[in-house]
Amino acid sequence: MMAADSAVSNGGENILTESDDDILSPDDLSEVLAAGTKESHDKAENSPFVKDFLRGRIKRELFKLGTVALYYVYSAIEEEIEKNKDHPMFAPLYFPSELHRRDALAKDLEYLYGEDWESKISCSAATRPYVDRIHEVGCEDPVRLVAHAWTRYMGDLSGGQILKKVAQRALKLPPAGEGLNFYHFEGIHNPTAFKRLYRSRMNELEVDAETKEKLLDEANLAFKYNLDVFTELQEIGKDIKEEVQDIGFNAHGDMGGDISKCPYYAAKMAVSGNTTYACNFARMLLRQSTVQVILATWVAAVAGLAAWYLM
């Protein structure tokens, strides 16, 4: 097998990862979870809140409340991960410096709410059952933490990077990244390589068919909790008067059933070297008004430079 062109660090050590050419079996845990949660993933991505977010129609107050929900969820996940970091089923997936998001979210909340942010936030009605379930799993059945970690962290390393760009444009957040620390993984220099590593670690876990089914059920439950939070935010948003504009990407439901038009999917395939999807992703970018303005400016600059050179 080929070694990856870069490494990620784990506790200060470099870990070489394997290439995307690794042969996966449908029975591998990562593949079981991916295939078994596809319907749940589609429901979540096609929820009104996420579709609006992808279009750039995100209200600042809703973004703040969404960040609060994430703070409580990740505080719970990472508290239970720390308690169970030596558990044989979770130890191989313990990457605190690479993955943990609580501190990054705290920075975002300080930017969004001010220095006294902790006195201004509370766990919402939809977020509380999610948090309670994570604590229940951590105490009674830590194996299920694998499903919660996979659902959140791998999603944040994939589609979350697109949401970051949309939020930055739509909310006019500073280019330095204030308010968006959650999406920045300082300890991961190559997200694609890290996801391969994480996937391989998952597939090396000693799990039988019954445990795989249990983890799949838990992953689908995690998606349901996330969908409940999205639904709550959408309802709250109906009473918030803020002007928004379409500047983002489409969701699956707007694509006529063609998954190749999904920005997450096209980006993933483009990075893997698939030229067809690289072209699709480029076309998607060109359809965005912001990209069109930048491209027009660039073309004008090149034309001006050429004219100056030919004088």
Side-chain angles (χ1 to χ4, degrees):
M1 295 182 182
M2 296 172 58
D5 56 1
S6 64
V8 294
S9 65
N10 182 17
E13 298 179 0
N14 285 333
I15 302 174
L16 291 179
T17 60
E18 296 176 344
S19 74
D20 276 330
D21 296 331
D22 295 343
I23 298 176
L24 295 172
S25 164
D27 293 328
D28 285 339
L29 179 58
S30 66
E31 301 309 290
V32 169
L33 294 182
T37 59
K38 183 182 183 301
E39 182 177 349
S40 295
H41 170 269
D42 289 347
K43 284 182 180 179
E45 186 174 303
N46 283 295
S47 66
F49 175 78
V50 175
K51 290 173 75 173
D52 281 346
F53 199 137
L54 285 168
R55 294 188 185 111
R57 297 179 59 82
I58 178 68
K59 298 174 181 177
R60 189 180 184 87
E61 189 60 31
L62 282 189
F63 181 77
K64 291 167 63 176
L65 292 174
T67 304
V68 170
L70 288 171
Y71 175 77
Y72 283 106
V73 169
Y74 278 98
S75 293
I77 289 177
E78 288 160 16
E79 179 182 336
E80 297 306 328
I81 285 176
E82 286 299 319
K83 290 179 182 177
N84 294 281
K85 63 184 179 182
D86 296 322
H87 191 286
M89 276 291 292
F90 203 87
L93 302 176
Y94 181 62
F95 292 96
S97 61
E98 287 83 5
L99 292 177
H100 284 193
R101 300 287 85 204
R102 182 183 181 277
D103 290 347
L105 284 161
K107 290 180 182 178
D108 290 338
L109 290 173
E110 182 175 0
Y111 173 79
L112 295 168
Y113 285 94
E115 292 184 0
D116 58 342
W117 62 271
E118 290 180 280
S119 66
K120 296 179 179 179
I121 68 170
S122 60
C123 191
S124 73
T127 307
R128 176 53 61 189
Y130 193 1
V131 168
D132 289 345
R133 176 59 181 175
I134 293 167
H135 286 307
E136 178 186 359
V137 162
C139 292
E140 299 179 5
D141 194 0
V143 171
R144 292 178 183 265
L145 276 177
V146 173
H148 286 281
W150 174 82
T151 301
R152 287 290 350 162
Y153 291 121
M154 294 301 100
D156 299 331
L157 279 170
S158 301
Q161 301 311 298
I162 291 176
L163 294 179
K164 173 185 177 180
K165 293 179 175 61
V166 173
Q168 194 163 37
R169 291 200 305 269
L171 301 176
K172 298 179 174 59
L173 295 172
E178 289 92 335
L180 296 167
N181 290 286
F182 167 69
Y183 299 103
H184 179 56
F185 291 78
E186 289 185 354
I188 299 177
H189 306 297
N190 185 331
T192 301
F194 183 85
K195 285 186 287 184
R196 289 199 299 266
L197 169 64
Y198 199 89
R199 182 185 66 197
S200 69
R201 291 284 185 90
M202 285 181 63
N203 294 337
E204 290 168 1
L205 296 174
E206 294 184 7
V207 291
D208 55 22
E210 182 180 351
T211 303
K212 288 178 183 177
E213 191 65 28
K214 179 168 68 173
L215 289 172
L216 177 57
D217 289 343
E218 195 68 27
N220 277 307
L221 183 59
F223 271 106
K224 178 187 177 299
Y225 284 130
N226 279 283
L227 183 57
D228 290 344
V229 174
F230 296 155
T231 301
E232 179 185 58
L233 289 170
Q234 187 68 20
E235 286 301 310
I236 293 173
K238 292 178 181 179
D239 297 323
I240 298 175
K241 304 302 180 184
E242 286 184 35
E243 288 193 12
V244 293
Q245 56 181 333
D246 289 324
I247 63 169
F249 295 93
N250 290 325
H252 285 169
D254 303 319
M255 301 173 188
D258 185 358
I259 193 173
S260 68
K261 296 178 182 177
C262 171
Y264 302 150
Y265 186 76
K268 176 182 177 182
M269 296 302 289
V271 168
S272 70
N274 188 310
T275 56
T276 299
Y277 288 102
C279 292
N280 285 347
F281 189 53
R283 283 195 291 269
M284 260 187 292
L285 289 175
L286 289 172
R287 284 197 292 268
Q288 308 307 311
S289 58
T290 303
V291 175
Q292 290 169 0
V293 171
I294 294 172
L295 181 60
T297 304
W298 180 81
V299 170
V302 171
L305 181 62
W308 171 83
Y309 179 77
L310 292 173
M311 284 178 63

